[in-house]
């Protein structure tokens, strides 16, 4: 394990608060100095913004520059994407301005699957607590600057947990779902490498939907926030339903807004960038509620 530092100079479209608090990840925590510390693979990373520079510090096995370039999607031109999306309408332009520093992370597919199964009908503090307890119980311990961190358990490591073990971590009704999905992936009933190789997003979505605990919204989150990196999906939760109804559909009874109607509208308005549009709208609506 090596301590490393890497500095991005004059970077645009990179605001740690926007990235880590837009609902896409659960292993990053804000420090007293405004920086964020998280665990990526077998690396503990601290991210701090100073003026227009981003300072990455880490303890880990991987080359820090290569790691953050991939994880933070640094080779993608978010300025160009924001210009394109802002032309659609003033609503989206305003939400992009509010969350202008969002970048969609390339999170490990396995970790993203389990994390979003845990997220179902749950709140972020509780999700983070469950994942931290799971990592402490079955992951690998890393110590940096006097603080202990834990890697997310591998498929093989988590397969050691019984349903009762998972229940004791506080998963509630999700314990059986996490157990069944872990063993389905362990037994290669779903091959995660093949999901990366499949170009058709709907086929990948259909495969994800065969996993226990993965419904349409969780599947779309996995597609968008993992290394699958499919922008042609539109995860719909209570906040997204609300913002799409208030801005476009305008049904007096929000509960009667059909998700299929939202998906159709998003596809028509945002095209193959609908996943990014969703993040800007979600972050703006939830953060200003």
């Amino acid at each position: 394990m090596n301590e490393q530092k890497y500095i991005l100079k004059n970077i645009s479209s990179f605001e740690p608060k926007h990235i880590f608090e837009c609902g896409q990840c659960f292993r990053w925590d804000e420090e007293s100095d405004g920086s964020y510390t998280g665990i990526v693979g077998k690396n503990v990373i601290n991210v701090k913004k100073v003026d227009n520079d981003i300072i990455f510090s880490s303890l880990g096995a991987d080359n820090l520059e290569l790691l953050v370039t991939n994880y933070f999607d640094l080779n993608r031109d978010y300025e160009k994407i924001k210009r394109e999306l802002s032309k659609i309408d003033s609503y989206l332009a305003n939400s992009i301005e509010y969350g202008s520093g969002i970048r969609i992370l390339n999170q490990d597919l396995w970790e993203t699957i389990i994390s979003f199964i845990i997220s179902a009908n749950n709140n972020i503090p509780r999700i983070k607590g469950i994942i931290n307890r799971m990592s402490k119980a079955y992951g690998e311990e890393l110590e940096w600057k006097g603080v202990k961190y834990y890697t997310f358990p591998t498929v093989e490591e988590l397969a050691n947990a019984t349903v009762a073990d998972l229940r004791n971590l506080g998963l509630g009704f999700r314990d059986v779902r996490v157990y069944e999905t872990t063993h389905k992936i362990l037994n290669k009933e779903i091959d995660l490498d093949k999901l990366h190789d499949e170009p058709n997003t709907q086929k990948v979505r259909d495969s994800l939907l065969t996993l226990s605990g993965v419904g349409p919204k969780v599947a779309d989150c996995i597609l968008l926030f993992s290394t699958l990196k499919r922008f042609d999906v539109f995860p719909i939760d209570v906040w997204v339903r609300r913002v799409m109804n208030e801005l476009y559909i305008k049904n007096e009874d929000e509960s009667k807004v059909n998700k299929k109607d939202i998906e159709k509208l998003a596809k028509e308005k945002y095209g193959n960038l609908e996943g990014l549009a969703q993040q800007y709208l979600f972050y703006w609506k939830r953060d200003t509620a």
Side-chain angles (χ1 to χ4, degrees), residues 1-6 40 42-46 56-65 67 140 142-145:
M1 294 290 179
N2 301 313
E3 288 202 41
Q4 301 175 66
K5 182 169 284 190
Y6 174 60
V40 180
K42 293 183 180 294
N43 308 269
V44 183
I45 303 176
N46 178 265
F56 300 97
S57 306
S58 77
L59 173 74
D62 297 310
N63 177 286
L64 181 58
E65 180 179 351
L67 179 64
E140 179 183 334
L142 302 172
E143 185 169 338
W144 189 38
K145 298 182 179 179

Side-chain angles (χ1 to χ4, degrees), residues 137-150:
Y138 297 101
E140 179 183 334
E141 182 182 294
L142 302 172
E143 185 169 338
W144 189 38
K145 298 182 179 179
V147 179
K148 291 180 179 179
Y149 302 90
Y150 300 90

